Amino acid sequence: MKSPQRSSDDLEAGGDIPKSRNHSRRRGRGIFVAVDASIRFKSAMGCEKEIELGSHDQPTAKDVKLSQLEEQPVQVEIELPASYPDEFGIRLEELVSISCDGGLSVLKRFDGVSGLSPLLHTDLDKGICGTHEDIRRRRNKFGSNEYPLKKERNFWMFLGEASRSFTLIVLVLAALASLLLQIKTKTISHEWYDEAGIIVAVILVIFVTAISNYNQSLQFEKLNDEKRNICIEVTRNGRLVEVPIYDVVVGDIIPLKSGDQVPADGVLVSGYSLQIGEYETMGTNRTVHKDTDIDPILISGSKVEDGIGRMLVTSVGMNTQWRMPMACIPLYTGEETPLQVHLNRVVIAFGLISISVALVVFLIESCLCFMGRTKNTDGSPMFDAGKTTLDEKIDMVIKFIILGVTIIVVAVPEGLPLAVTLNIAYMTRKLLGEKVLVQKLSACEAMGSATTIVCHKTGILTLNQMEVVDVCAGRVRTHNLDTMAAELSPLLISLITEGIALNTNGSVYHPEGQSEPEVFGSATERAILNFGVKLGMNFDEIKSKSTIFRVSPFNSRRKRRGVAVQLHDSQVRVHWKGAAKTILASCQWYMDKDNIAAMDQEKRFYFEKTIDEMSKEGLRCAALAYRKFTDGDIPESNLVLLAIIGIKDSCRPGISRAIQQCRNAGVKVCMVTGDDLLTAKAIAMQCGILRGTLDEPANTAILASEFASMSEADREEIAENIVVMGRSSPDENLLLLEALKKKGHVVAATGKGIRDAPSLRQANISLAMGIGGTAIVKECSDIIILEDNFTSIVKVIQWGRFLYTNAQRFLQFRLTVNASALIICVVVAVHSHEIPLNVAQLLWINLLTFTFGAWALASEPPMDNLMRRPPVRKGGAKRITWFCSYLCEFLKWMERKKSKKFPISRSRTKEPFITKLMWAKFVAQVSFQVSALLYLNFRGESILKLENKSLDQANKVKNTVIFNCFVFCQVFNEVECRTSYQGNTFSGILKNHLFLGTILLNVILQIIVIECLGIFFYTARLNLKQWLISIGIGFFSQVIGRFPFQAFPYLRNEDHI
């Protein structure tokens, strides 16, 4: 296991260290402990029945009934014997009882954490030994840190959902009624194939839909597995190592810091003003102070809101107090995204239109039939009053119902929301490969509309691999740290190394047999500790000869951290570390070699100039200072300056190109950092955020304090110009976000520390850092950038735009199919009282277009030119089609009447979802397909040379050719819809194997349907000429689709095509 980096910068808390008590009470064989089994997890019992625990190898504490939740507290007597036959000196049920009510008294029976740790074979400083055998023994004895997962939906559940479609149920019932009626009247003949074809087609649609939805569910389950893959730091064998949360075992020592989530039940070993939020675990919204005396018990799932500390793990997995709530958490809930909501409204709107048309056709056909106007194939009227039996009348009505339902099936574009789901599933899988974890699906859509990215510098724009490269101490300024120790006095080196070793959260580990030590901590801490090592610092010796008794916390506002320490010679000193100018302002003295000299104005100016010079080189400047301590609070003034250090954090490779991509895409990148403004501007120049050109507006770089002091109107006025904000804290970041949103920007914001949580909630899209982010920030974010790389954010923007564009493509494709089929069926039905495409054929077309078509179009990778167009502006994803806008508004009003919680899109566009070019291509495609197929319907016998065939056979061949032509029109239309903005629609098609495979599968299945399954689809076998006619008409439809693009160049210039 490799040694990790600390996941955040210095965000700590401080205060007095509580003094531990030595409970030296002897434990006898006859001692009993009363354990109060709490009922606070009673609410979780409702979901316990839904969890399939199965067989677990790990032990639980159910044998002593500590996990039984009763309405009244249960008193359980536990005997503590004087000796234990087992290798560990404590039983599982006794460890579990520590986390229950009354657990403090149980802990005191074991002499507190100092008496508990030997029983678990744990060193409170070095942790467990951590060998594979040691981990295995602890798991076998005390269980693993795993929870049973909630049962996932299986394939049969999806099959049941797909079979509940209203139109499909009506079709099957009508087909069965017609079939039963034929059996009853003994008129059944080959016509029963029509009804059987309908049933077969419906079953096929149901199974393909269920398979598609089930595959999507499996993909999202993989996404959930990635969300559960959380790594934390533990101390094992004296070093900090990073392990998956499931590998935490009883006896582990876990460091805690602000923003962490407690991974298991445990006991506090040491803490500095540790504030724990127990609102999720205890059922109450409260923050409690934890210390080693009064309240040392830590419950898994609680959040560290402030402070730092270390805990000893006592219970893991299903033995923890959070076992039931954790097991019941559903990660992916299948919520609809805003785009899916809007497309669902379009489906409902088209459904209302199709129902109206189907009702009109049904009434017209029924009236014409019962008036004697409708003729049979032999010329006789279908209805003859007095001669037509009741069964025949019922059969006619059933046929008309099937005709009406067929029109509904044709007109309703049911696959629109499915297309978005397929795109999201494909996108999340691809983004995971780009080290991006999507937690909220709607955020993907919103990223396509992002106009501004408020981004932290450290670890995102830079590598977060810091190194001290410039030092000013004792009248010496050098860039060569290897020779610096020879230039400084021993006293100054002693004070510097003492301040570095004691005023830190990091650590230095010296592995046996290796000359180079291993340094742990945040990037800044590691850089300063490495500097101390080069000065000859002996970390362990300095720590062992001193005692820290007071800590002043570091936070983003104060920019400093201080400790009060008592040395072995009883001297008491205060060591400060922080931002160079902040520390310098508190210094009245400085170390001049071996002497303390007063800091006059000339010397202060020299140090300020030194800091500015370092900052202009892009270095992060920190300072070390100290003073003697007497009593009271840690003094912050009258300090002695020890050293000013410049820390280099190089920009990420390729960051300039990524920033330029954002600029080309109309997305502004605003860098916020806690560094000095000069450092921030230097880094911004290196990254390409600042270009240093004359056309840059004023106020592009500003101090956060200056921005916060402005009025709200002034902040809104300059917010759009700001690209660099120095000395920024989360409070100022929040003000910037609010100002940008009021100006109409769609803002994506990054976050790492716990204080970034309000800014993330305020942003339209919240981006947490996977390495530098805390647990709380990751929990409240929409997207996690796993490698903290800004390039990944650019990829998310590109994929967000891809999602929007792909929805446009599929909508154009689907509406073309629906409109063409609807017009053809209605015209032919009114004219000839029958439709050329029967129900089975239309269901087959529906299957090819909404399932295979969605798969094919969803497989298209995002084009590079997506990042050469401005972002989709807010407001109009609702304006999908002008003819259903009123219906959408009515449906929205109905939904709001039902529920006030209506999802609001953060990625809506003011431009119409269907652009002018899309409308032009839609009209051209529909006009050609309707004209060509209607011409075939009315003149097909002569065109296809069918005069010599019987009337029934000629109609069958003609309708088969119409059906085949319609399918090939959609195949070529699908190719045309790959892109609606490129001149060459075949560009990159050979690289997309999934698209080519789907198109080839469509063609092969169509050949099988025509040549082999004609009995169910009522089709005839076609000769080579008829196949070529079908393919030719389909190909020419693509040529027609290119016509608007070539004929009207102004249509190509639309921003959102």
Side-chain angles (χ1 to χ4, degrees):
M1 240 175 297
K2 67 176 184 178
S3 301
Q5 299 178 358
R6 293 283 290 185
S7 60
S8 68
D9 286 340
D10 300 333
L11 185 61
E12 311 144 10
D16 293 342
I17 302 175
K19 299 178 181 179
S20 59
R21 297 177 182 173
N22 182 22
H23 302 283
S24 56
R25 301 177 184 176
R26 301 175 59 186
R27 297 189 301 274
R29 185 178 298 271
I31 298 177
F32 291 85
V33 180
V35 180
D36 182 13
S38 172
I39 63 169
R40 57 175 168 261
F41 295 104
K42 179 182 175 184
S43 59
M45 292 300 291
C47 63
E48 183 177 11
K49 298 178 181 178
E50 301 178 9
I51 301 173
E52 186 177 53
L53 299 180
S55 59
H56 296 279
D57 296 332
Q58 68 179 54
T60 64
K62 290 184 178 179
D63 296 337
V64 292
K65 300 182 180 180
L66 288 174
S67 62
Q68 293 180 355
L69 306 178
E70 305 290 345
E71 294 188 359
Q72 300 295 330
V74 179
Q75 298 295 326
V76 182
E77 293 184 343
I78 302 173
E79 184 177 358
L80 305 181
S83 60
Y84 292 84
D86 195 84
E87 54 185 332
F88 292 101
I90 190 170
R91 296 197 301 265
L92 171 64
E93 55 269 21
E94 294 170 332
L95 285 173
V96 173
S97 67
I98 294 176
S99 303
C100 299
D101 288 350
L104 184 59
S105 61
V106 178
L107 182 63
K108 290 179 179 179
R109 299 285 184 182
F110 291 102
D111 294 337
V113 68
S114 58
L116 184 63
S117 59
L119 301 178
L120 296 174
H121 300 175
T122 299
D123 187 293
L124 292 180
D125 294 323
K126 296 183 179 181
I128 62 175
C129 65
T131 62
H132 292 295
E133 178 62 24
D134 183 39
I135 300 297
R136 185 190 62 80
R137 288 188 296 110
R138 292 175 186 274
R139 283 180 178 168
N140 291 339
K141 174 67 177 178
F142 303 115
S144 60
N145 197 33
E146 296 178 348
Y147 301 89
L149 302 179
K150 195 173 182 179
K151 292 178 64 177
E152 297 297 330
R153 301 168 66 194
N154 55 35
F155 172 75
W156 302 109
M157 295 180 180
F158 287 99
L159 190 67
E161 277 188 2
S163 63
R164 287 196 287 269
S165 173
F166 176 74
T167 52
L168 296 181
I169 292 174
V170 172
L171 281 176
V172 171
L173 292 178
L176 289 175
S178 177
L179 190 62
L180 292 174
L181 190 63
Q182 293 181 43
I183 295 174
K184 176 179 178 295
T185 57
K186 300 181 180 180
T187 57
I188 188 168
S189 61
H190 290 296
E191 292 183 357
W192 72 272
Y193 294 148
D194 293 343
E195 286 76 12
I198 294 174
I199 296 173
V200 169
V202 167
I203 293 174
L204 187 61
V205 169
I206 290 173
F207 267 90
V208 172
T209 304
I211 291 171
S212 176
N213 292 337
Y214 181 62
N215 285 333
Q216 293 170 46
S217 175
L218 292 179
Q219 291 186 27
F220 285 122
E221 180 57 29
K222 292 179 182 178
L223 185 66
N224 289 338
D225 291 339
E226 189 65 28
K227 291 181 183 180
R228 300 185 189 102
N229 187 22
I230 303 170
C231 290
I232 64 171
E233 291 179 342
V234 299
T235 302
R236 290 180 180 175
N237 197 25
R239 65 172 67 179
L240 278 174
V241 294
E242 194 174 63
V243 299
I245 192 172
Y246 301 120
D247 289 348
V248 172
V249 294
V250 170
D252 264 327
I253 298 295
I254 300 178
L256 301 174
K257 62 182 180 300
S258 179
D260 284 349
Q261 179 170 307
V262 180
D265 289 356
V267 180
L268 186 65
V269 176
S270 64
Y272 299 79
S273 298
L274 196 61
Q275 303 293 322
I276 301 293
E278 294 184 339
Y279 39 85
E280 290 190 0
T281 56
M282 308 298 291
T284 57
N285 188 6
R286 64 171 184 169
T287 300
V288 296
H289 174 76
K290 296 289 182 176
D291 57 39
T292 55
D293 283 342
I294 301 175
D295 190 4
I297 310 300
L298 298 172
I299 304 299
S300 65
S302 54
K303 308 293 174 58
V304 182
E305 296 189 354
D306 199 3
I308 57 175
R310 293 185 305 127
M311 66 172 287
L312 170 67
V313 176
T314 57
S315 300
V316 294
M318 291 303 292
N319 293 319
T320 64
Q321 292 294 300
W322 207 35
R323 57 191 178 275
M324 287 284 89
M326 185 65 178
C328 294
I329 292 178
L331 292 175
Y332 171 67
T333 56
E335 78 280 3
E336 286 187 325
T337 68
L339 191 54
Q340 287 175 309
V341 172
H342 297 315
L343 291 178
N344 270 325
R345 292 203 197 108
V346 176
V347 172
I348 296 173
F350 271 90
L352 295 177
I353 294 172
S354 62
I355 290 173
S356 303
V357 174
L359 184 61
V360 171
V361 172
F362 173 78
L363 294 176
I364 292 175
E365 289 296 312
S366 300
C367 293
L368 291 176
C369 177
F370 291 110
M371 290 171 62
R373 302 285 183 86
T374 307
K375 307 294 183 180
N376 291 315
T377 54
D378 57 359
S380 61
M382 291 182 63
F383 176 79
D384 189 354
K387 294 183 179 180
T388 303
T389 64
L390 178 62
D391 291 335
E392 291 174 337
K393 294 177 184 178
I394 294 175
D395 189 50
M396 290 178 190
V397 173
I398 292 176
K399 297 292 185 185
F400 294 146
I401 291 175
I402 292 177
L403 175 64
V405 175
T406 302
I407 292 174
I408 296 175
V409 171
V410 166
V412 179
E414 290 183 300
L416 293 181
L418 172 68
V420 178
T421 306
L422 285 172
N423 275 284
I424 290 176
Y426 177 72
M427 179 178 60
T428 51
R429 188 174 72 250
K430 290 294 184 179
L431 282 176
L432 199 55
E434 300 285 350
K435 303 302 179 183
V436 175
L437 179 62
V438 179
Q439 298 200 117
K440 191 173 182 181
L441 301 182
S442 59
C444 298
E445 298 174 16
M447 281 301 288
S449 302
T451 59
T452 304
I453 303 174
V454 178
C455 179
H456 289 74
K457 174 186 74 71
T458 305
I460 304 173
L461 301 176
T462 62
L463 289 169
N464 202 26
Q465 296 174 1
M466 300 190 186
E467 179 185 6
V468 177
V469 296
D470 197 350
V471 178
C472 177
R475 290 188 181 181
V476 176
R477 184 178 177 188
T478 181
H479 298 274
N480 189 354
L481 303 186
D482 295 328
T483 62
M484 187 175 185
E487 302 178 42
L488 300 180
S489 66
L491 176 60
L492 182 55
I493 291 177
S494 174
L495 290 171
I496 291 175
T497 54
E498 181 182 284
I500 291 174
L502 298 177
N503 192 13
T504 183
N505 275 336
S507 60
V508 179
Y509 175 74
H510 294 271
E512 295 182 4
Q514 296 184 22
S515 58
E516 293 294 327
E518 296 180 6
V519 179
F520 303 99
S522 68
T524 306
E525 293 281 9
R526 290 198 307 274
I528 298 176
L529 286 170
N530 278 318
F531 167 58
V533 170
K534 290 182 179 181
L535 291 179
M537 176 184 68
N538 190 324
F539 184 83
D540 293 333
E541 182 180 350
I542 294 173
K543 296 281 282 187
S544 64
K545 292 182 178 180
S546 57
T547 303
I548 301 173
F549 63 89
R550 191 161 298 174
V551 176
S552 179
F554 177 94
N555 60 52
S556 55
R557 183 176 297 279
R558 299 176 67 247
K559 305 292 184 185
R560 62 168 72 185
R561 181 185 194 268
V563 293
V565 296
Q566 183 173 4
L567 305 178
H568 65 285
D569 56 0
S570 300
Q571 291 188 61
V572 179
R573 290 179 184 155
V574 173
H575 284 278
W576 283 98
K577 172 182 68 177
K581 288 188 176 179
T582 303
I583 296 295
L584 181 61
S586 302
C587 292
Q588 302 297 323
W589 312 85
Y590 71 97
M591 282 295 298
D592 185 4
K593 294 187 177 180
D594 286 338
N595 303 317
I596 298 177
M599 187 177 297
D600 54 19
Q601 290 299 323
E602 180 182 354
K603 207 63 184 176
R604 187 176 298 277
F605 177 77
Y606 168 76
F607 287 127
E608 289 176 350
K609 182 181 177 182
T610 301
I611 294 171
D612 289 343
E613 289 174 355
M614 291 181 180
S615 298
K616 288 177 181 179
E617 295 175 6
L619 303 183
R620 169 179 283 188
C621 297
L624 304 175
Y626 91 105
R627 63 161 290 176
K628 293 183 178 180
F629 179 68
T630 54
D631 197 8
D633 295 331
I634 299 179
E636 299 185 12
S637 59
N638 203 25
L639 305 181
V640 180
L641 181 66
L642 295 175
I644 297 173
I645 56 179
I647 304 172
K648 183 180 180 180
D649 187 11
S650 301
C651 293
R652 287 185 176 273
I655 188 64
S656 298
R657 181 177 178 273
I659 296 294
Q660 186 59 44
Q661 279 184 299
C662 290
R663 186 176 286 113
N664 295 338
V667 180
K668 184 186 76 172
V669 179
C670 178
M671 184 183 79
V672 294
T673 176
D675 290 342
D676 185 79
L677 186 59
L678 292 175
T679 304
K681 291 171 70 174
I683 294 295
M685 291 288 289
Q686 296 174 22
C687 294
I689 296 175
L690 282 176
R691 292 175 289 179
T693 57
L694 296 176
D695 59 344
E696 282 189 338
N699 298 318
T700 53
I702 191 173
L703 278 171
S705 57
E706 188 179 327
F707 178 75
S709 63
M710 295 179 179
S711 64
E712 184 175 344
D714 291 339
R715 286 199 295 267
E716 292 179 20
E717 183 71 24
I718 71 165
E720 293 181 300
N721 295 334
I722 295 175
V723 294
V724 176
M725 183 180 285
R727 288 286 176 235
S728 178
S729 70
D731 296 334
E732 284 90 10
N733 296 345
L734 182 59
L735 292 176
L736 178 61
L737 287 173
E738 291 173 347
L740 287 170
K741 289 188 69 178
K742 287 179 180 178
K743 295 294 287 186
H745 285 263
V746 179
V747 186
T750 63
K752 297 191 294 183
I754 184 174
R755 294 189 63 201
D756 290 325
S759 298
L760 293 182
R761 295 189 183 98
Q762 179 68 25
N764 297 95
I765 312 104
S766 52
L767 307 169
M769 299 299 106
I771 299 175
T774 60
I776 293 179
V777 167
K778 293 176 184 178
E779 182 180 326
C780 69
S781 67
D782 300 329
I783 297 171
I784 299 177
I785 309 300
L786 297 176
E787 290 188 344
D788 294 10
N789 196 336
F790 183 82
T791 306
S792 299
I793 299 177
V794 179
K795 288 289 184 182
V796 177
I797 296 175
Q798 190 175 16
W799 279 96
R801 296 185 177 191
F802 154 83
L803 178 63
Y804 184 85
T805 305
N806 251 19
Q808 287 181 306
R809 294 169 181 169
F810 187 74
L811 179 64
Q812 178 184 333
F813 172 65
R814 230 357 224 165
L815 292 185
T816 303
V817 177
N818 293 118
S820 302
L822 179 63
I823 294 172
I824 292 169
C825 290
V826 171
V827 170
V828 177
V830 173
H831 180 272
S832 306
H833 312 296
E834 60 181 13
I835 54 177
L837 303 173
N838 61 40
V839 177
Q841 292 170 357
L842 289 172
L843 287 173
W844 175 249
I845 292 170
N846 213 32
L847 179 65
L848 290 181
T849 56
F850 97 81
T851 301
F852 296 119
W855 285 350
L857 292 176
S859 67
E860 283 296 314
M863 301 292 184
D864 290 336
N865 56 8
L866 286 173
M867 297 300 289
R868 292 194 292 270
R869 293 180 288 158
V872 181
R873 287 175 286 173
K874 276 190 170 184
K878 303 174 187 175
R879 295 170 51 193
I880 296 180
T881 51
W882 62 269
F883 56 86
C884 66
S885 59
Y886 290 107
L887 284 171
C888 286
E889 289 298 322
F890 173 75
L891 292 169
K892 184 170 70 172
W893 177 79
M894 290 294 293
E895 289 178 14
R896 284 178 174 171
K897 289 281 287 182
K898 292 179 182 178
S899 174
K900 294 182 180 179
K901 293 182 180 179
F902 184 78
I904 299 175
S905 171
R906 297 188 292 187
S907 60
R908 295 174 296 195
T909 64
K910 284 184 178 177
E911 282 74 18
F913 191 75
I914 301 180
T915 62
K916 295 176 183 177
L917 179 57
M918 292 173 65
W919 273 118
K921 297 180 73 167
F922 169 78
V923 172
Q925 283 275 8
V926 172
S927 300
F928 171 76
Q929 292 184 24
V930 170
S931 302
L933 298 183
L934 286 180
Y935 188 74
L936 269 179
N937 182 77
F938 297 121
R939 296 289 184 268
E941 290 85 353
S942 59
I943 295 173
L944 300 173
K945 309 297 183 183
L946 302 175
E947 293 87 350
N948 298 327
K949 296 183 178 292
S950 64
L951 184 60
D952 286 342
Q953 184 64 20
N955 282 332
K956 189 174 184 180
V957 173
K958 179 191 69 175
N959 290 341
T960 302
V961 173
I962 293 173
F963 168 54
N964 208 30
C965 288
F966 191 79
V967 169
F968 275 98
C969 281
Q970 309 323 315
V971 169
F972 284 98
N973 184 27
E974 196 171 333
V975 176
E976 174 61 26
C977 287
R978 282 187 67 240
T979 173
S980 52
Y981 51 83
Q982 279 192 338
N984 181 12
T985 189
F986 295 100
S987 175
I989 193 171
L990 295 179
K991 297 179 181 179
N992 191 344
H993 299 147
L994 181 57
F995 183 88
L996 290 176
T998 306
I999 294 295
L1000 183 61
L1001 180 63
N1002 284 354
V1003 174
I1004 293 174
L1005 291 176
Q1006 179 65 13
I1007 295 173
I1008 294 174
V1009 165
I1010 297 294
E1011 300 296 330
C1012 304
L1013 300 178
I1015 189 173
F1016 295 110
F1017 289 89
Y1018 198 69
T1019 57
R1021 292 187 175 183
L1022 303 180
N1023 56 38
L1024 181 60
K1025 177 184 176 181
Q1026 292 162 349
W1027 275 104
L1028 291 177
I1029 290 174
S1030 302
I1031 296 173
I1033 291 177
F1035 177 76
F1036 198 69
S1037 71
Q1038 183 180 356
V1039 176
I1040 294 296
R1042 288 275 88 189
F1043 175 74
F1045 187 89
Q1046 302 296 336
F1048 306 104
Y1050 74 92
L1051 294 176
R1052 310 177 202 174
N1053 298 326
E1054 291 189 332
D1055 291 337
H1056 310 290
I1057 299 174

